């Protein structure tokens, strides 16, 4: 297998606040105050949604450019929902300030369903944990 992304995380002295490093970028993860954190950064599920939103917007932009379409400014809204049984659903809403016809919208919606992160989340990923 070929590595396509890496990330490392280190705890801090502040409760749930953690420092993340990925490809030279420094990020922070934390929990909201109501969950015992300091709200110093996005929570883990928010990073999952951010990754899905970014992948969606980037993939749709690539698709539109390939088709020669002006899709204007893309906007992706995501909400992660869980029920009492632990079932999870992500709702995704696409918006743009461009005027698109039905064929263009159909192409964008079809493409959104096949973005790399969408497929990874739908199909799952093997996670192997070992002692370092």
């Amino acid at each position: 297998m070929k590595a396509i992304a890496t990330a490392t995380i280190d705890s801090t002295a502040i409760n749930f606040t953690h420092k993340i490093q990925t490809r030279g970028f420094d990020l922070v993860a934390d929990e909201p105050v109501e969950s015992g954190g300091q709200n110093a950064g996005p929570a883990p599920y928010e990073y999952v949604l951010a990754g899905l939103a970014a992948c969606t917007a980037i993939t749709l932009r690539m698709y539109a450019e390939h088709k020669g379409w002006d899709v204007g400014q893309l906007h992706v809204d995501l909400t992660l929902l869980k029920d009492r049984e632990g079932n999870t659903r992500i709702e995704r809403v696409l918006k743009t300030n461009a005027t698109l016809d039905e064929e263009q919208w159909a192409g964008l919606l079809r493409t959104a369903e096949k973005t790399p992160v969408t497929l990874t989340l739908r199909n799952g990923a093997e996670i192997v944990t070992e002692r370092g």
Side-chain angles (χ1 to χ4, degrees):
M1 289 187 164
K2 173 184 160 190
I4 61 169
T6 63
T8 58
I9 191 163
D10 291 304
S11 61
T12 68
I14 304 169
N15 212 13
F16 301 129
T17 304
H18 286 73
K19 294 179 183 179
I20 304 167
Q21 201 171 59
T22 181
R23 206 169 43 87
F25 294 98
D26 295 320
L27 308 169
V28 174
D30 199 359
E31 289 291 333
V33 172
E34 60 270 16
S35 297
Q38 301 298 309
N39 203 38
Y45 276 128
E46 291 164 333
Y47 274 113
V48 170
L49 291 183
L52 177 58
C55 184
T56 300
I58 291 167
T59 302
L60 294 181
R61 176 74 56 201
M62 289 175 175
Y63 175 76
E65 285 181 5
H66 175 74
K67 292 286 197 176
W69 297 346
D70 177 11
V71 293
Q73 182 181 6
L74 288 170
H75 182 89
V76 181
D77 281 321
L78 293 169
T79 304
L80 189 142
L81 305 153
K82 277 191 175 278
D83 65 17
R84 290 182 183 182
E85 289 76 40
N87 299 309
T88 305
R89 182 174 78 221
I90 297 173
E91 295 177 348
R92 176 171 45 195
V93 178
L94 308 178
K95 300 174 187 174
T96 180
N97 61 357
T99 302
L100 303 176
D101 62 32
E102 289 303 315
E103 180 184 330
Q104 290 171 314
W105 270 114
L108 291 175
L109 293 169
R110 195 172 43 251
T111 301
E113 294 298 318
K114 297 185 273 183
T115 70
V117 174
T118 297
L119 295 176
T120 298
L121 289 172
R122 282 213 175 106
N123 297 329
E126 179 182 10
I127 300 173
V128 178
T129 306
E130 61 187 47
R131 179 180 170 181

